Amino acid sequence: MTAPRFLVPLELSPASVGQTILLPAAAAHHAVRVLRLAVGDALTLFNGAGGEYAATLTRAERNDARVRIESFDPVERESPMPVTLAQSIAANDAMDYAVRKAVELGVAAIQPLVTERSAPLPAGERADKRLAHWKGIAAAACEQCGRNRIPEISVPLAWNDWLAGWKGAGILLVPGAHASLATLPRPPLPVALAIGPEGGFSEREIDAARSKAFHAVSFGPRVLRTETAAAAALAALQTLWGDLR
């Protein structure tokens, strides 16, 4: 059985091997109360800075869980095809799905976008909570899929504002476009994959992307939901030029 993985906000380094440390409250709760781990059980820790630490649970009390760091593995599981997912904001469950699957599929960064037809983004504190929620989903996805670096999820931007600041190559999913991913050459890095909302990008938004040299591509004969399109397109990109081979 694979040892469960925990993201911990700790200053770990290879010098930590041999030390016994106190697990942060959230990780301790998940290990002891949710997973029911016991003294002697193995677990893996990572802090988002790269690499991971094999550890053994040495104390498993409700408010006091400690582990001994056994070894450090500098393993990297990042894709050689880093992609920024420029995702139009979708309704809660759909956006959560898009973020989770994008992280599993190796996305390097996620840029939530406010587009003409995207789901509304609440203002103020509620917007901050949504961003924190997406970051939590990304962290949990890394725990599950084995990644040791957490993709950055940026503050949502308006479509035109983000386009104006993007300096790399771009791919835009547009139903009915003449080109497909298979007809494109490998894009130079950095590259962004832009996914429209449920109603699709408007013609103005498509024209704005084309003016920035984005390639408009279709993705088969069926129209996909926004969260499905993000996962399917990332999987295709990783198959063509990344590490899903």
Side-chain angles (χ1 to χ4, degrees), residues 177-194:
H178 297 299
S180 68
L181 283 176
T183 65
L184 295 184
R186 181 187 176 105
L189 301 178
V191 61
L193 172 67

Side-chain angles (χ1 to χ4, degrees), residues 56-211:
T56 302
L57 195 62
T58 61
R59 188 175 182 86
E61 302 296 331
R62 176 180 297 182
N63 299 313
D64 186 1
R66 299 172 187 264
V67 298
R68 182 176 62 251
I69 307 298
E70 307 290 0
S71 62
F72 171 69
D73 185 347
V75 61
E76 290 286 358
R77 301 188 180 97
E78 298 305 293
S79 172
M81 181 65 181
V83 178
T84 292
L85 174 64
Q87 173 69 51
S88 298
I89 294 171
N92 292 342
D93 290 346
M95 192 68 179
D96 291 356
Y97 182 96
V99 170
R100 184 179 301 110
K101 298 309 174 185
V103 173
E104 292 177 29
L105 289 163
V107 75
I110 299 174
Q111 175 60 66
L113 293 173
V114 178
T115 59
E116 291 186 25
R117 300 168 184 155
S118 60
L121 179 69
E125 184 178 348
R126 291 180 61 202
D128 295 339
K129 287 182 177 179
R130 285 204 72 185
L131 180 59
H133 174 71
W134 296 332
K135 289 184 175 182
I137 288 173
C142 286
E143 288 181 329
Q144 179 272 320
C145 74
R147 294 183 68 175
N148 292 320
R149 298 184 185 273
I150 315 299
E152 176 64 22
I153 303 182
S154 299
V155 172
L157 291 175
W159 171 246
N160 286 334
D161 291 341
W162 174 74
L163 272 181
W166 178 250
K167 304 301 183 184
I171 297 171
L172 184 79
L173 260 60
V174 178
H178 297 299
S180 68
L181 283 176
T183 65
L184 295 184
R186 181 187 176 105
L189 301 178
V191 61
L193 172 67
I195 305 292
E198 287 297 343
F201 288 115
S202 70
E203 288 301 321
R204 285 189 298 271
E205 290 168 335
I206 294 170
D207 289 343
R210 284 179 166 146
S211 73

